[in-house]
Amino acid sequence: QVQLVESGGGFVQPGDSLRLSCAASGRAFNVNAMAWFRQAPGKEREFVAAISPRGDAIYYADSVQGRFTISRDNAKNTVYLQMNNLKSEDTAVYSCAVRGRSFYPSRAAFDYDYWGQGTQVTVSS
């Protein structure tokens, strides 16, 4: 059974940093694209960042470009999201996702087969 477990969320002030982790278990995903999405209260889920298996293709949402960095450690079956200079509009539940049958880092949520439960990130002064 595949499980994705996120960690690293929390309550921070604007300008602070957080590093999210997502550990996958149940099967290896070293040939699969992985991504982060987020959903704020009252809003639809939105794409944040995605990464190819070897990290040679990475995409970001315009809203986080230059502030967030996605990375992965295939040996640990883990994907990370380093978030710097956080803003109040970054407040959301952040979820990781894995494409079960593709290496392409899609921006579309419907392309992802496995999802974590999410971790809350709250940015407020």
Side-chain angles (χ1 to χ4, degrees):
Q1 182 180 357
V2 174
Q3 281 192 322
L4 302 178
V5 179
E6 300 96 338
S7 61
F11 187 104
V12 296
Q13 295 186 335
D16 286 351
S17 298
L18 279 176
R19 188 192 193 207
L20 306 183
S21 299
C22 172
S25 62
R27 56 169 279 193
F29 289 111
N30 56 310
V31 295
N32 304 87
M34 304 180 83
W36 288 95
F37 289 79
R38 67 186 182 185
Q39 187 167 19
K43 295 187 177 181
E44 294 187 353
R45 177 186 288 166
E46 66 171 346
F47 169 78
V48 176
I51 186 169
S52 61
R54 293 185 296 176
D56 52 352
I58 291 176
Y59 303 112
Y60 295 100
D62 290 344
S63 58
V64 307
Q65 180 78 48
R67 300 188 297 120
F68 290 11
T69 302
I70 188 172
S71 61
R72 62 191 292 167
D73 184 336
N74 290 333
K76 296 181 178 180
N77 232 18
T78 299
V79 63
Y80 305 97
L81 186 68
Q82 176 67 44
M83 305 185 295
N84 297 331
N85 190 22
L86 283 160
K87 304 176 181 180
S88 58
E89 52 263 42
D90 295 319
T91 295
V93 174
Y94 285 71
S95 300
C96 64
V98 178
R99 294 194 75 175
R101 295 173 296 276
S102 175
F103 59 86
Y104 182 74
S106 170
R107 296 170 182 262
F110 59 74
D111 281 334
Y112 291 83
D113 303 290
Y114 304 103
W115 292 83
Q117 291 297 312
T119 185
Q120 177 70 46
V121 172
T122 303
V123 185
S124 176
S125 56

